[in-house]
Amino acid sequence: MSEKPIIAIVSITIPALAGFYVGMPYIGSLIGNIVYLVSVLFLLAFVVVNVFYIQKIEDLSKGKSYFICIAYLLAIPIIYLINSLKPPSIFLVCLFFLYFFLALMWTFIAEKKRLTNICTVLFILCLLPLIFGLYVHWIYEGPIYDEIRYLENQKEYYETHFDDLNYGILTQYRTDSTKNNIRELEENIEETEECYLVADFSGAWKKIEATNEYNNDLKRTFELLYPKKALYDELRGLDEELVQLNSRAYSIKDMINPGEGYKVERILSDVNITKNKADEAWGLYRNGRYEETYEFIVQINTDISDIKERLDRIEILIKPQKPQKKGLLRGFEAFFAIAGLLAVTYLLRRRE
């Protein structure tokens, strides 16, 4: 077999093999699958071009045919190197430069510097990784990256000030649970980064939500190192929440069956009892008795959770009356929509 058919075979085989490999690490999520599709389209088109124009490659002069063969062979290690780059936006942008070079090479060598339709298609396809890479970076990667950096900064802060918990009035008995939370926070950050690097952005956001739960617990714990401010904020928040529960109970009282009104009366009574507890907590706070204040806050939070659950159960009994109205409204909307379509159909037929 002469060297020119061998070069033609290489020009088809190498891009085909590369096409099976490029973008493989990102397969598994919606965006990752799109990344793979965008990254492989150019190579698929390039293989097709080489197949249909194999005679043109064989007709190249010896020097040019060797150059095109070397360029194809070099594409394999370069694609292997680019494939290891993460996150996906960096992978796609680097892939664009390789594809741009291959498209340019085809234009200069095979098409003899003429911009044919084939060249135009190749240049458009090589732009897809660049455009999608920038889109992925701005829409997905940027916000997730900021969240990861924020959580890492929070973790560093907790680790730096961990020993201070032993000397805090309200935190000296929380070191074990806090240590576990910091470890869980670190593990969740690592899992979030893994999802982020392989374009599993929905998975990354789920991990961020879970990580924020640990972060919020840790934040509340470390805020207790400064009990005067932390407890003040807690008490203010409880006062506001009790006011909202009180108004919510009164609004339900007007809607509920009079025979069931005693349930709401009990809730209103419990809200008042909880308000009295909050007043006692304020008194302890003003006297600098922070440990007792915190114990009251824990009790008040438990009472508020119980009141919320009872109000939710009552509201569930009230809600079934509302969907019927919505059903009627939807029925009227459907009727008017059908009537509108019939009217438009009638007018169009009259014009005909």
Side-chain angles (χ1 to χ4, degrees):
M1 186 182 288
S2 66
E3 59 185 22
K4 287 197 174 183
I6 291 172
I7 290 168
I9 291 167
V10 167
S11 70
I12 296 168
T13 307
I14 297 300
L17 291 173
F20 284 110
Y21 179 71
V22 69
M24 287 291 287
Y26 300 98
I27 292 175
S29 62
L30 175 62
I31 299 298
N33 293 338
I34 297 172
V35 168
Y36 173 75
L37 183 63
V38 166
S39 63
V40 83
L41 276 175
F42 176 89
L43 286 177
L44 291 177
F46 203 59
V47 170
V48 171
V49 168
N50 279 271
V51 169
F52 280 100
Y53 290 84
I54 194 166
Q55 189 62 48
K56 185 178 283 190
I57 295 169
E58 291 180 355
D59 292 341
L60 292 174
S61 64
K62 189 173 182 180
K64 288 182 179 179
S65 62
Y66 279 154
F67 181 79
I68 202 168
C69 187
I70 291 166
Y72 286 154
L73 287 170
L74 285 174
I76 286 289
I78 292 171
I79 284 176
Y80 180 82
L81 177 65
I82 292 172
N83 225 35
S84 65
L85 297 176
K86 294 176 181 180
S89 61
I90 294 174
F91 159 75
L92 288 169
V93 171
C94 291
L95 205 60
F96 154 74
F97 287 109
L98 173 63
Y99 289 172
F100 183 79
F101 168 74
L102 292 175
L104 206 63
M105 185 186 66
W106 180 268
T107 304
F108 273 80
I109 297 175
E111 301 292 355
K112 299 176 182 178
K113 300 181 183 180
R114 291 181 296 109
L115 189 64
T116 62
N117 291 335
I118 295 296
C119 297
T120 304
V121 170
L122 290 177
F123 280 118
I124 290 170
L125 289 175
C126 83
L127 280 171
L128 288 180
L130 176 65
I131 294 166
F132 193 67
L134 295 174
Y135 169 79
V136 164
H137 175 74
W138 289 112
I139 302 300
Y140 295 100
E141 290 178 359
I144 292 173
Y145 179 83
D146 292 340
E147 287 286 337
I148 291 171
R149 294 287 80 79
Y150 166 73
L151 290 168
E152 284 182 339
N153 290 335
Q154 290 293 106
K155 181 181 73 73
E156 288 175 11
Y157 172 82
Y158 301 143
E159 289 173 340
T160 304
H161 294 85
F162 179 76
D163 292 336
D164 297 341
L165 297 177
N166 288 315
Y167 307 103
I169 299 171
L170 302 175
T171 57
Q172 53 189 336
Y173 303 112
R174 292 169 170 249
T175 52
D176 290 340
S177 61
T178 301
K179 194 172 185 177
N180 290 332
N181 282 343
I182 291 172
R183 187 172 62 252
E184 291 288 344
L185 179 69
E186 186 175 7
E187 289 174 2
N188 274 273
I189 290 170
E190 289 173 0
E191 290 173 4
T192 304
E193 284 182 330
E194 288 173 9
C195 293
Y196 161 79
L197 291 174
V198 296
D200 183 10
F201 300 123
S202 60
W205 278 116
K206 287 177 183 175
K207 291 292 180 184
I208 286 169
E209 288 174 8
T211 311
N212 274 324
E213 291 181 13
Y214 289 107
N215 181 49
N216 291 333
D217 289 341
L218 287 165
K219 193 186 293 185
R220 283 192 290 270
T221 298
F222 279 84
E223 282 173 352
L224 292 174
L225 287 170
Y226 311 96
K228 189 171 184 179
K229 182 182 184 307
L231 296 180
Y232 176 81
D233 293 340
E234 287 271 359
L235 289 168
R236 282 291 301 273
L238 292 174
D239 283 346
E240 291 172 6
E241 204 160 2
L242 285 167
V243 169
Q244 290 173 3
L245 285 174
N246 196 61
S247 61
R248 183 181 166 191
Y250 270 111
S251 64
I252 290 173
K253 187 180 178 183
D254 296 334
M255 300 165 65
I256 200 169
N257 189 322
E260 300 289 324
Y262 69 93
K263 293 181 181 178
V264 181
E265 291 292 345
R266 284 180 186 173
I267 290 173
L268 287 167
S269 175
D270 288 343
V271 170
N272 286 327
I273 291 169
T274 310
K275 279 182 179 178
N276 292 334
K277 285 184 182 179
D279 291 338
E280 287 183 57
W282 274 112
L284 293 167
Y285 170 80
R286 293 186 184 99
N287 291 325
R289 295 159 67 180
Y290 298 133
E291 289 182 79
E292 295 172 68
T293 304
Y294 184 74
E295 288 173 6
F296 263 89
I297 287 172
V298 172
Q299 291 177 26
I300 292 164
N301 274 317
T302 303
D303 294 343
I304 285 174
S305 296
D306 179 61
I307 290 167
K308 282 181 178 177
E309 286 178 11
R310 287 153 65 192
L311 285 171
D312 289 341
R313 284 198 295 269
I314 294 170
E315 283 181 336
I316 289 169
L317 297 173
I318 299 169
K319 281 181 181 177
Q321 300 169 5
K322 295 180 180 178
Q324 294 175 2
K325 293 181 181 178
K326 287 184 180 177
L328 287 170
L329 287 172
R330 285 176 184 170
F332 281 120
E333 288 171 5
F335 171 76
F336 285 119
I338 292 167
L341 286 170
L342 290 172
V344 170
T345 306
Y346 174 73
L347 289 172
L348 289 171
R349 284 184 177 177
R350 282 195 65 183
R351 283 188 179 180
E352 292 174 0

